[in-house]
């Protein structure tokens, strides 16, 4: 698999869509490096994927029979607080309404990247040999029969807490964060489609993890695509990037704030992955992500920050998201 620059990736996706060629795509956060490969040309010793139960790894999802060693070193609270304060200062200054702040966390586990791919339970999974594994619950966009749909996911809580669902749905910070991201995604879809509507607002998803169940809130936003959209898949998809749910609003200024606050390169984390086959494009945001660098594993995780956020709560949410859905 060869990494492509943005222009080449767009042209390749457009060509595959025009010719009806099924293909896989993997795009990094900054859209500087992409993989766009025909499905019949993927080397399974290098790349495995499974999106909504379909992929090139028939044994994916097999039950893991062993024990799981899982230790990580969370960010020092003082370091996280400094990053949080950078974000909050910009929020209070009116430079952003919502900023997604993420961390790079050293991880020690007896699981290999391929183990995580094969045994984790997730809507979307991708493994690149000696690079990373992603097991994402978050849909980015789906295109099918002239329609485009997006499902932003914002808001997380431990499902075992008493009245967890009502706490999550009634939390003022979570309400504001979700409303902001739905508005952003609605505006994004309006750039590539017409008659954009919010079909479902703040419904609950339940996710199982190795540390127990969590609840998250999502919404569904839909629009009507132009008649020739299959010939312009690359143009349409890249015009929506990066995903609003992992940047914030407004995007350009918020991305500058993210670069200042985070102090590391996200790489493929918070990019998008997906495939096109039989006239349908399906994709996911690359959250829930473990990367390998020089033999060391890192879990990348984060969440949305608003002016109402408290750093302690956001810090704890990051820690809650450092899990594998193996059970």
């Amino acid at each position: 698999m060869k990494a492509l620059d943005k222009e080449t990736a767009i042209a390749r996706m457009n060509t595959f869509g025009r010719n009806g060629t099924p293909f896989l795509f993997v795009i990094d956060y900054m859209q500087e490096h992409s993989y766009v490969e025909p499905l019949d040309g993927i080397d399974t010793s290098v790349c495995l994927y499974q999106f909504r139960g379909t992929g090139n790894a028939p044994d994916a999802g097999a039950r893991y029979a062993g024990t799981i060693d899982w230790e990580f070193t969370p960010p020092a609270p003082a370091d996280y607080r400094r990053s949080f304060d950078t974000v909050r200062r910009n929020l209070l200054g009116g430079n952003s309404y919502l900023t997604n702040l993420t961390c790079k966390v050293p991880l020690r586990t007896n699981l290999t990247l391929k183990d995580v791919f094969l045994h984790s339970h997730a809507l979307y999974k991708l493994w690149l040999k000696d690079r990373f594994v992603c097991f994402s619950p978050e849909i980015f966009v789906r295109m099918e029969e002239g329609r485009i749909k997006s499902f932003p996911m914002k808001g997380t809580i431990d499902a075992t807490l008493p009245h967890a669902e009502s706490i999550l749905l009634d939390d003022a910070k979570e309400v504001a964060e979700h409303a902001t991201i739905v508005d952003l995604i609605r505006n994004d879809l309006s750039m590539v489609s017409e008659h954009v509507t919010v079909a479902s607002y703040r419904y609950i998803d339940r996710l199982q993890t190795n540390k127990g169940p969590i609840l998250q809130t999502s919404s569904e936003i839909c629009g009507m695509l132009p008649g020739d959209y299959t010939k312009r898949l690359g143009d349409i998809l890249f015009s929506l990037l990066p995903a609003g749910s992992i940047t914030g609003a407004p995007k350009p200024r918020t991305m500058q704030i993210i670069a200042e606050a985070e102090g590391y390169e996200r790489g493929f984390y918070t990019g998008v992955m997906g495939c096109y086959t039989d006239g349908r494009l399906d994709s996911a945001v690359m959250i829930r992500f473990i990367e390998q660098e020089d033999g060391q594993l890192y879990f990348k995780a984060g969440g949305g920050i608003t002016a109402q956020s408290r750093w302690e709560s956001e810090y704890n949410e990051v820690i809650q998201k450092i899990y594998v859905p193996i059970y």
Side-chain angles (χ1 to χ4, degrees):
M1 295 174 67
K2 180 181 178 182
L4 308 175
D5 61 31
K6 180 177 180 178
E7 290 72 23
T8 305
I10 290 172
R12 193 167 169 87
M13 291 180 71
N14 288 345
T15 298
F16 285 158
R18 186 181 306 115
N19 296 335
T21 303
F23 66 92
L24 172 80
F25 56 91
V26 188
I27 305 168
D28 73 347
Y29 166 65
M30 295 297 294
Q31 305 120 69
E32 295 172 341
H33 306 286
S34 302
Y35 298 107
V36 182
E37 298 288 336
L39 295 187
D40 61 7
I42 296 173
D43 182 350
T44 56
S45 70
V46 175
C47 173
L48 295 173
Y49 71 94
Q50 187 179 59
F51 302 148
R52 291 202 289 161
T54 301
N56 64 350
D59 53 348
R63 186 172 180 83
Y64 184 74
T67 59
I68 298 176
D69 298 330
W70 189 259
E71 298 180 12
F72 58 89
T73 306
D79 292 341
Y80 182 84
R81 177 72 183 271
R82 274 192 294 273
S83 297
F84 177 90
D85 286 347
T86 297
V87 169
R88 192 166 190 274
R89 182 173 65 251
N90 279 279
L91 289 165
L92 294 176
N95 298 321
S96 177
Y97 306 107
L98 168 68
T99 301
N100 191 268
L101 177 63
T102 75
C103 307
K104 180 180 177 181
V105 177
L107 171 68
R108 295 174 299 281
T109 179
N110 61 328
L111 300 172
T112 66
L113 296 179
K114 193 171 184 179
D115 286 337
V116 174
F117 173 85
L118 291 175
H119 302 295
S120 60
H121 297 262
L123 270 181
Y124 300 89
K125 302 193 295 183
L126 175 73
W127 167 79
L128 287 187
K129 183 179 181 180
D130 298 329
R131 296 285 305 280
F132 64 80
V133 64
C134 180
F135 40 99
S136 177
E138 182 173 352
I139 304 161
F140 179 45
V141 294
R142 292 174 179 166
M143 301 184 210
E144 182 178 5
E145 297 179 347
R147 296 179 64 83
I148 185 170
K149 298 180 180 181
S150 186
F151 303 81
M153 179 179 284
K154 278 292 172 189
T156 304
I157 194 171
D158 181 348
T160 65
L161 293 174
H163 313 295
E165 182 171 331
S166 59
I167 291 172
L168 178 59
L169 291 175
D170 295 340
D171 185 292
K173 179 263 177 182
E174 299 291 1
V175 170
E177 179 183 354
H178 201 94
T180 300
I181 208 64
V182 166
D183 190 53
L184 173 62
I185 299 300
R186 185 172 56 188
N187 289 337
D188 281 356
L189 293 193
S190 294
M191 296 188 300
V192 300
S193 63
E194 297 181 339
H195 309 298
V196 176
T197 59
V198 179
S200 183
Y201 186 70
R202 288 197 85 212
Y203 58 85
I204 294 286
D205 286 317
R206 184 182 180 92
L207 305 177
Q208 189 68 37
T209 83
N210 63 310
K211 299 191 294 184
I214 60 175
L215 302 181
Q216 296 197 298
T217 52
S218 298
S219 289
E220 178 183 350
I221 307 162
C222 306
M224 298 298 298
L225 289 162
D228 64 345
Y229 75 95
T230 57
K231 301 177 182 179
R232 299 193 290 117
L233 294 175
D235 293 303
I236 292 171
L237 192 73
F238 272 85
S239 68
L240 301 173
L241 297 177
S245 64
I246 48 73
T247 51
K251 270 192 199 179
R253 183 67 181 99
T254 299
M255 290 178 68
Q256 294 174 352
I257 298 166
I258 287 170
E260 177 186 356
E262 290 185 347
Y264 81 98
E265 297 294 327
R266 290 189 179 186
F268 280 92
Y269 170 57
T270 65
V272 299
M273 59 185 179
C275 65
Y276 177 75
T277 183
D278 298 326
R280 298 186 298 273
L281 184 142
D282 192 11
S283 63
V285 183
M286 296 176 69
I287 58 173
R288 311 299 190 265
F289 190 97
I290 303 173
E291 189 161 17
Q292 181 174 311
E293 295 180 16
D294 300 323
Q296 171 65 53
L297 297 179
Y298 296 91
F299 199 114
K300 296 180 177 179
I305 312 296
T306 72
Q308 298 169 292
S309 296
R310 295 170 52 250
W311 80 266
E312 298 94 340
S313 297
E314 300 300 336
Y315 180 80
N316 289 332
E317 181 174 323
V318 169
I319 293 173
Q320 187 178 61
K321 289 176 177 176
I322 303 174
Y323 70 84
V324 281
I326 296 177
Y327 47 89

